[in-house]
Amino acid sequence: MRGFIFVCLSFIWWCPLVNANQIVYPWRACPAIVSIGQAIDILYDNTIGMSVDSIILEGPYNRVILSVDRVSTGWFEYDTFTKVGVNQQIQVTIPEDTPEELYDLIVKSGDETNISKRSVKVLKAYRNPHRFIHISDPHISRQWVGSPDQGYAKELELLDRFIEVANIIHPEYIIVTGDIIHDYTRFNADSLGWGGVVRSGFDNPPLAEEKYNNYFEGANGFSGVYGFNAPVFSIPGNHDFYGPKSDDYPAKAAQWNRLMGKRVYGFSYLDTRIIGADDYLGDPVIDIPNHAPMSGLQGRMLDSFLHTAGHGKIRIMAQHRPDRVDTAFVDRHKIHILLNGHSHRPHQSFVGSTPTLNIRPGAVCRSGEVAKWKKTLGFFRIFTIDSDTFQYSPPLRFCKNPTAAYDELIMNLTLDFKWDNTGQATFNEARITNDFDIDLPNCNIRFVMAKGKYKVSEGTIYQIIETSEYTVLDVRVDAGAQSSKEVTVTKQ
């Protein structure tokens, strides 16, 4: 997959107010999915002008050094509203023997090392059918626990447990349709998530950087989205800024560029095209007009992506607000699925003449939903794309009691090992318990075993990664609705 960019031969007259992370793509908002043997273009801000020494993919159990195919120097603009860009594009190709994994991308240039965590998903091959998970409105950092400078986002407690469920399902990617953080912070909230002290601004912690760090890195022992074993694509919502005034659109969009990278983008998975739009941060006159959102700059950018990549067989559009739909754009490109959030109650309907499925899952972990949790909280959806058709699940609640304390949450999908899964044993047993009312095919179990050759009692060994200390087996197994499945691994 090759990221869509605009290339300018000379610097533009307007200078951006903020500098982006040195690795801008693949990065936080828009990671990359690439098959072995394919090339990827890295957008890199090499402001110090040093030569690129090495490009590395680093996984939990292996490390891959990539050969640099080409380094292009110039101006590579990735946001047409803020006009921010980088000065280098680095092309690398994924070697044929690279294990399938979600990798950190490391660029070494001169005496600098830049890391884009969990940003490159390498596949042995694209899969048809394939699955993705849709979540929305996590509002990480709306409610803050502890001191301003050493606390954490309350929402992480639910997100951490949802990550356990998602990693068993093992989707190809995850899409989050906005309100990933929150533009104010509540300290000492009441039992319903309201009240307390409300704070916002540039100078009072937590700062915007810490809010986004909570979203990605987690805090206080809880996982952020880097805990998913699938690449996570994030788009902006109305709460996704911190510090700028609500009507300072250049500042809000530039803050997203600095802390997230791409704001509007497209990517492909086999013959599926996915586009991510922004209906809140950009300027409402030239970028996101209220009545025809895709008639501005980002609409032209997404038009160009679909023209360059080709329309494929299934087209998916992700935006935040369900009632700000540009039906002319949706009909012109025959968008099949329109993912959204904003309203926290699950919903589905049809819009336009295609017709386009207009759908949202509910809120996965937002604090402040306690009073109406039965209708809004803990939900996600699974989509299955099969060539030119698709299916989707009802809104699924990942736990039975999302208002309970962290240690008391009762999960609807669990994976338990009989023995420690730390690479010491030559025998182990895993049990997947599926309390959902739907079948879950191709769930993933990663066994970390002592060195050796192994066989399994159920499912298929999809991949083996050999390290100097361990034999790592990825086992795919079907988990039927309302049932358990046991898988035993033994040495041959």
Side-chain angles (χ1 to χ4, degrees):
M1 191 272 288
R2 182 171 296 179
F4 175 72
I5 56 174
F6 284 90
V7 181
C8 298
L9 298 178
S10 60
F11 285 91
I12 51 177
W13 66 271
W14 188 81
C15 181
L17 298 175
V18 295
N19 294 320
N21 190 55
Q22 283 189 260
I23 303 174
V24 171
Y25 173 80
W27 191 37
R28 283 176 158 182
C30 184
I33 302 174
V34 59
S35 178
I36 55 175
Q38 288 189 322
I40 180 175
D41 290 330
I42 300 167
L43 295 184
Y44 185 61
D45 193 20
N46 191 354
T47 54
I48 55 178
M50 294 185 179
S51 62
V52 175
D53 300 323
S54 58
I55 310 289
I56 300 165
L57 296 179
E58 189 162 85
Y61 296 102
N62 71 301
R63 183 179 175 94
V64 182
I65 299 176
L66 304 178
S67 298
V68 177
D69 300 336
R70 183 177 66 247
V71 178
S72 301
T73 301
W75 182 250
F76 302 87
E77 185 177 284
Y78 62 90
D79 193 313
T80 53
F81 172 54
T82 60
K83 301 192 180 302
V84 68
V86 299
N87 63 354
Q88 282 192 345
Q89 179 178 269
I90 308 167
Q91 186 181 84
V92 294
T93 300
I94 307 300
E96 295 286 346
D97 58 350
T98 304
E100 185 164 305
E101 191 67 86
L102 181 60
Y103 290 94
D104 294 348
L105 173 66
I106 302 171
V107 177
K108 291 182 178 290
S109 178
D111 59 355
E112 291 200 2
T113 299
N114 292 280
I115 302 175
S116 179
K117 293 183 179 181
R118 311 283 283 173
S119 65
V120 179
K121 178 61 182 285
V122 173
L123 302 173
K124 292 199 294 186
Y126 291 100
R127 282 183 276 279
N128 183 56
H130 79 273
R131 289 182 296 181
F132 73 89
I133 282 177
H134 175 208
I135 61 175
S136 196
D137 295 82
H139 291 264
I140 303 299
S141 72
R142 174 189 172 274
Q143 187 176 332
W144 203 255
V145 179
S147 65
D149 55 346
Q150 296 183 359
Y152 68 94
K154 171 75 173 174
E155 296 79 10
L156 289 175
E157 297 176 15
L158 279 180
L159 182 66
D160 178 273
R161 301 305 303 273
F162 170 66
I163 289 170
E164 297 175 13
V165 171
N167 285 345
I168 301 169
I169 297 170
H170 197 68
E172 295 302 300
Y173 49 93
I174 296 166
I175 297 176
V176 190
T177 47
D179 282 359
I180 64 175
I181 66 162
H182 206 78
D183 64 305
Y184 64 80
T185 308
R186 289 185 180 271
F187 292 90
N188 301 317
D190 58 30
S191 61
L192 295 180
W194 299 91
V197 177
V198 178
R199 179 181 295 168
S200 181
F202 284 109
D203 301 324
N204 296 312
L207 304 178
E209 289 80 359
E210 190 62 25
K211 283 173 167 276
Y212 281 101
N213 280 342
N214 269 218
Y215 176 70
F216 286 100
E217 307 273 358
N220 201 44
F222 302 114
S223 294
V225 298
Y226 284 156
F228 288 111
N229 290 330
V232 178
F233 295 84
S234 304
I235 63 165
N238 56 299
H239 287 291
D240 287 319
F241 65 96
Y242 197 71
K245 294 180 179 179
S246 60
D247 59 352
D248 191 347
Y249 302 103
K252 292 194 301 182
Q255 184 182 76
W256 178 278
N257 292 153
R258 181 171 63 89
L259 297 174
M260 295 288 286
K262 291 189 176 186
R263 183 177 56 91
V264 178
Y265 54 82
F267 70 97
S268 299
Y269 187 100
L270 203 60
D271 292 323
T272 301
R273 305 289 179 260
I274 304 96
I275 56 176
D278 165 28
D279 51 15
Y280 271 105
L281 300 187
D283 187 276
V285 176
I286 64 173
D287 199 32
I288 49 169
N290 289 334
H291 300 295
M294 293 298 107
S295 64
L297 294 174
Q298 66 172 305
R300 291 195 285 274
M301 189 173 186
L302 296 176
D303 279 335
S304 296
F305 166 76
L306 291 171
H307 175 76
T308 303
H311 273 62
K313 295 180 178 179
I314 291 289
R315 289 164 297 283
I316 301 168
M317 183 172 180
Q319 64 180 61
H320 181 61
R321 187 164 161 171
D323 59 348
R324 189 174 278 173
V325 179
D326 189 331
T327 53
F329 179 91
V330 167
D331 290 343
R332 182 168 69 252
H333 291 292
K334 298 189 182 301
I335 302 296
H336 297 91
I337 306 170
L338 183 63
L339 306 173
N340 57 71
H342 190 61
S343 176
H344 299 158
R345 185 174 297 189
H347 178 78
Q348 63 190 63
S349 60
F350 288 91
V351 297
S353 61
T354 300
T356 299
L357 175 67
N358 184 42
I359 192 167
R360 62 179 182 264
V364 66
C365 64
R366 183 187 190 272
S367 63
E369 292 295 305
V370 177
K372 48 186 176 180
W373 69 270
K374 290 183 179 181
K375 297 179 179 179
T376 59
L377 189 58
F379 288 115
F380 69 105
R381 289 187 193 263
I382 304 171
F383 288 77
T384 301
I385 310 297
D386 188 352
S387 189
D388 58 354
T389 64
F390 65 89
Q391 295 179 327
Y392 55 95
S393 74
L396 302 172
R397 175 171 276 131
F398 72 87
C399 65
K400 302 181 190 301
N401 54 339
T403 61
Y406 176 85
D407 293 332
E408 297 174 1
L409 294 172
I410 302 171
M411 312 306 290
N412 280 319
L413 182 66
T414 58
L415 171 61
D416 298 297
F417 292 93
K418 188 171 184 178
W419 306 104
D420 287 342
N421 192 39
T422 58
Q424 308 304 310
T426 57
F427 166 86
N428 210 339
E429 183 180 288
R431 171 179 287 193
I432 292 179
T433 302
N434 177 14
D435 285 342
F436 291 120
D437 291 327
I438 63 170
D439 295 335
L440 295 173
N442 291 314
C443 292
N444 192 70
I445 304 173
R446 172 163 281 187
F447 288 100
V448 184
M449 310 296 293
K451 293 286 288 183
K453 293 185 178 181
Y454 293 90
K455 61 182 179 180
V456 292
S457 62
E458 297 283 346
T460 303
I461 297 177
Y462 177 78
Q463 172 177 252
I464 299 174
I465 302 175
E466 295 286 359
T467 78
S468 59
E469 298 179 79
Y470 311 119
T471 296
V472 181
L473 297 91
D474 285 327
V475 178
R476 302 288 168 82
V477 64
D478 298 339
Q482 296 288 328
S483 68
S484 294
K485 178 68 66 72
E486 292 181 356
V487 179
T488 300
V489 57
T490 54
K491 208 166 187 179
Q492 291 184 348

